[in-house]
């Protein structure tokens, strides 16, 4: 009975804070020195590492974020960090494309990653390959192929 709703929310918040702190080095590694398309592939690998670190509590955070402003802020921070990771993998021309970028953000989102890992039981390598190929197909259809 020690796990009251308030204690549970505080526990989720503490886990989120620690997890984001532990994942900070993943975010801190620069992509800027990598030319296109290498930044795209490095970005896929980096998101895999970042998302895998978040998955153990991401679903719970989504479920409880409406009960706590602090949890809602953590969820918003994760979403912003995820978008930043995605945008850093692309040249400015693609990031500024108001049609293409939201589609890429969806394909490369933690929600898609989580669905493929949890519900479809795909491995990390399988998910990385699948989201990479989906993003590449979308870029090619937009006339901006990635290349190898």
């Amino acid at each position: 009975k020690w796990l009251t709703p308030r204690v549970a929310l505080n526990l989720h918040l503490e886990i989120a804070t620690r997890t984001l702190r532990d994942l900070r080095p993943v975010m801190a590694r620069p992509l800027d020195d990598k030319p296109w398309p290498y930044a795209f592939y490095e970005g896929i690998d980096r998101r895999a590492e970042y998302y895998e670190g978040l998955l153990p509590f991401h679903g719970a955070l989504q479920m409880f974020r409406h009960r706590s402003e602090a949890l809602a802020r953590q969820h918003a921070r994760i979403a912003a960090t995820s978008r930043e990771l995605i945008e850093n993998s692309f040249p400015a021309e693609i990031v500024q494309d108001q049609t293409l970028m939201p589609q890429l953000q969806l394909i490369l989102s933690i929600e898609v990653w989580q669905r493929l890992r949890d519900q479809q039981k795909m491995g990390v390598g399988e998910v990385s390959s699948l989201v990479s190929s989906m993003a590449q197909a979308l870029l090619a259809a937009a006339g901006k192929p990635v290349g190898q």
Side-chain angles (χ1 to χ4, degrees):
K1 292 218 172 216
W2 66 270
L3 191 59
T4 65
R6 184 171 185 80
V7 170
L9 288 174
N10 288 335
L11 183 60
H12 284 295
L13 184 58
E14 179 63 23
I15 291 170
T17 301
R18 287 180 186 215
T19 300
L20 290 174
R21 182 195 65 219
D22 292 348
L23 291 172
R24 198 169 292 135
V26 174
M27 303 297 301
R29 290 192 311 256
L31 273 177
D32 300 335
D33 60 344
K34 298 209 178 1
W36 177 260
Y38 301 105
F40 170 79
Y41 297 111
E42 174 68 22
I44 294 286
D45 292 342
R46 188 171 306 182
R47 275 187 301 284
E49 188 176 350
Y50 180 71
Y51 291 167
E52 284 299 305
L54 289 175
L55 281 185
F57 81 94
H58 186 259
L61 184 61
Q62 284 182 305
M63 191 168 33
F64 291 110
R65 70 179 186 209
H66 67 282
R67 295 184 186 177
S68 162
E69 282 187 41
L71 286 177
R73 282 192 304 275
Q74 284 290 41
H75 188 269
R77 184 178 301 146
I78 289 169
T81 301
S82 297
R83 284 191 305 276
E84 180 183 329
L85 255 181
I86 292 166
E87 289 175 0
N88 288 344
S89 301
F90 294 97
E93 165 193 1
I94 293 173
V95 173
Q96 294 166 1
D97 187 318
Q98 297 298 308
T99 302
L100 183 57
M101 198 65 219
Q103 294 173 47
L104 288 166
Q105 287 177 342
L106 174 64
I107 289 170
L108 299 170
S109 70
I110 190 170
E111 289 79 16
V112 168
W113 187 274
Q114 185 173 26
R115 180 182 180 95
L116 294 170
R117 290 285 283 130
D118 292 345
Q119 295 177 14
Q120 297 189 19
K121 307 296 184 209
M122 295 176 76
V124 173
E126 293 172 299
V127 175
S128 290
S129 180
L130 181 61
V131 297
S132 176
S133 65
M134 288 189 304
Q136 288 179 57
L138 180 60
L139 288 161
K144 300 170 187 197
V146 174
Q148 298 293 329

